[in-house]
């Protein structure tokens, strides 16, 4: 999980309302306002998640029965960011690279609204993905808080691939014109959801759909070309694909499993090797079956037999040997910020 972690300190200070940061909208202001300060946010770094210039929206809700919106700010990641709110227990929601415009939030008057907020995969971006996190504040001076901003999408990586057709009539054959892609990729997801990701629509449903790829801001998130010839030696391809979470408990109409599909020709015949991502069978390791939020699923695959004629029919044992790892999707270096 590529994430950005912030260590936070909520500071109660006596400031006049006009000294609060520009662009902050509050339902109520008082002289005894709380000010949250980000420091050193714009330091250059590589990887995914919080980058200088990425959009950041901060929603502060009262942590009571009604959970009404207390304050809102839309800005970019930068030094010296200040957020003001009234005193009392608060729920602080951070949304990075959200897909909504500045004036979209007129109906966002309570925490239940942000809980129901959706994100569309066709509009997301792997380099600056939609991410979110929540922290609670009780408003004590010097209080230490921590928030983890987690990408909504996950990453599926075909790290390497080879063919081993030993003992088959086509022993020594090489895979030609190959590519790898995801099918049944979840297309919409609640931004703040953390578990139980039931699909509410899919892209590349049952097959590779050019019309779905045409909707994508970045079609390569679902499709990668592979080397022109793949033989007995492992070929490191590092093909990174992305999708929204899918933890459907059972596969059925409208709730398909997301599949990693290798497509290519052997001696001129087109074959498919569809593999259910992180499911019981040939590639489940541990944890939540299926694709969880902010995870990285890394595969090294050996094709041992011809595949299927149907890109939606998962391969069986003996067709491919799959070595895989499930891990948090992390950047090279975690960032700790004080605010």
């Amino acid at each position: 999980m590529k994430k950005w972690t912030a260590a936070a300190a909520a500071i109660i200070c006596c400031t006049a309302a006009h000294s609060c940061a520009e662009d902050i909208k509050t339902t109520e202001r008082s002289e005894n306002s709380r000010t949250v300060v980000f420091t050193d946010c714009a330091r250059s770094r590589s990887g995914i998640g919080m980058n200088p210039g990425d959009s950041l929206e901060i929603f502060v809700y009262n942590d009571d029965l009604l959970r009404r919106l207390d304050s809102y700010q839309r800005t970019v990641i930068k030094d010296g960011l200040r957020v003001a709110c009234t005193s009392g227990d608060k729920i602080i929601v951070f949304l990075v690279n959200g897909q909504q415009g500045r004036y979209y939030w007129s109906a966002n008057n309570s925490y239940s609204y942000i809980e129901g907020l959706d994100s569309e995969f066709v509009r997301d971006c792997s380099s600056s993905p939609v991410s979110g996190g929540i922290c609670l504040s009780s408003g004590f001076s010097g209080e230490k808080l921590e928030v983890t901003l987690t990408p909504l999408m996950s990453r599926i990586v075909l790290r390497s691939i080879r063919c081993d057709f030993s003992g088959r009539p086509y022993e020594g054959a090489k895979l030609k014109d190959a590519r790898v892609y995801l099918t049944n990729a979840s297309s919409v997801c609640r931004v703040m959801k953390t578990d139980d990701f039931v699909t509410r629509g899919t892209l590349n449903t049952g097959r590779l759909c050019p019309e779905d790829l045409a909707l994508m801001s970045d079609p390569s998130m679902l499709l990668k070309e592979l080397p022109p010839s793949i033989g007995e030696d492992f070929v490191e391809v590092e093909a990174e694909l992305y999708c929204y979470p899918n933890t459907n408990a059972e596969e059925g109409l409208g709730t398909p499993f997301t599949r990693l599909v290798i497509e290519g020709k052997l001696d001129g015949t087109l074959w498919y090797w569809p593999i259910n991502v992180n499911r019981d069978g040939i590639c489940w390791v541990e944890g939540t079956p299926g694709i969880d939020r902010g995870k990285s699923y890394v595969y090294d695959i050996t094709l041992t037999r011809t595949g299927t004629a149907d890109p939606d029919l998962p391969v069986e044992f003996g067709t491919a040997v799959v070595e895989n790892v499930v891990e948090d999707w992390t950047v090279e270096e975690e960032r700790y910020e004080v605010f």
Side-chain angles (χ1 to χ4, degrees), residues 181 183 205-208 259 261-263 270-275 307-315:
Y181 48 87
T183 60
T205 305
R207 61 183 178 85
L208 186 65
R259 310 193 215 287
V261 181
I262 297 167
E263 173 191 304
L270 184 65
W271 297 99
Y272 304 95
W273 288 265
I275 298 169
T308 71
D310 183 352
D312 204 33
L313 180 63
V315 296

Side-chain angles (χ1 to χ4, degrees), residues 48-284:
I48 205 163
M50 300 281 282
N51 297 300
D54 282 358
S55 67
L56 170 66
E57 293 177 284
I58 304 172
F59 305 91
V60 182
Y61 301 92
N62 296 322
D63 193 4
D64 55 18
L65 185 61
L66 296 178
R67 293 183 170 184
R68 295 291 188 185
L69 181 68
D70 178 83
S71 67
Y72 161 68
Q73 180 176 353
R74 180 185 180 92
T75 183
V76 296
I77 306 305
K78 58 185 179 181
D79 285 328
L81 179 64
R82 294 175 179 270
V83 179
C85 60
T86 59
S87 60
D89 295 347
K90 305 296 176 186
I91 303 170
I92 307 174
V93 176
F94 299 85
L95 176 60
V96 182
N97 301 320
Q99 298 173 351
Q100 295 71 28
R102 184 182 187 86
Y103 300 105
Y104 177 88
W105 304 109
S106 59
N108 180 17
N109 55 10
S110 69
Y111 181 70
S112 61
Y113 184 92
I114 205 76
E115 283 185 306
L117 182 66
D118 285 332
S119 181
E120 299 178 15
F121 183 70
V122 294
R123 299 173 58 194
D124 214 331
C125 174
S126 59
S127 60
S128 295
V130 175
S131 305
I134 298 175
C135 67
L136 302 178
S137 171
S138 57
F140 294 111
S141 179
E143 177 187 15
K144 297 293 183 179
L145 304 174
E146 184 175 289
V147 60
T148 300
L149 296 177
T150 309
L152 184 55
M153 68 173 68
S154 284
R155 181 177 66 160
I156 291 84
V157 182
L158 176 60
R159 183 166 55 189
S160 64
I161 184 172
R162 66 184 288 259
C163 299
D164 182 5
F165 300 130
S166 300
R168 308 287 182 187
Y170 41 90
E171 182 175 351
K174 294 186 177 182
L175 189 68
K176 304 282 189 177
D177 302 327
R179 53 186 180 174
V180 60
Y181 48 87
L182 297 178
T183 60
N184 306 327
S186 180
S187 60
V188 62
C189 190
R190 294 279 166 82
V191 173
M192 306 312 299
K193 199 169 181 60
T194 58
D195 57 15
D196 192 22
F197 295 99
V198 178
T199 52
R200 297 159 52 209
T202 57
L203 299 166
N204 284 347
T205 305
R207 61 183 178 85
L208 186 65
C209 302
E211 57 271 26
D212 286 351
L213 295 180
L215 298 173
M216 298 283 297
S217 60
D218 181 5
S220 69
M221 291 168 65
L222 289 179
L223 168 67
K224 287 289 196 304
E225 300 293 330
L226 295 179
S229 180
I230 299 171
E232 295 183 353
D233 295 327
F234 267 115
V235 178
E236 295 186 5
V237 293
E238 297 293 342
E240 296 188 1
L241 304 172
Y242 304 86
C243 63
Y244 277 173
N246 175 353
T247 59
N248 295 328
E250 295 182 358
E251 189 164 32
L253 185 63
T255 57
F257 293 161
T258 300
R259 310 193 215 287
L260 176 72
V261 181
I262 297 167
E263 173 191 304
K265 294 179 180 179
L266 291 175
D267 296 330
T269 301
L270 184 65
W271 297 99
Y272 304 95
W273 288 265
I275 298 169
N276 289 333
V277 178
N278 196 41
R279 296 283 182 176
D280 286 339
I282 63 175
C283 73
W284 181 73

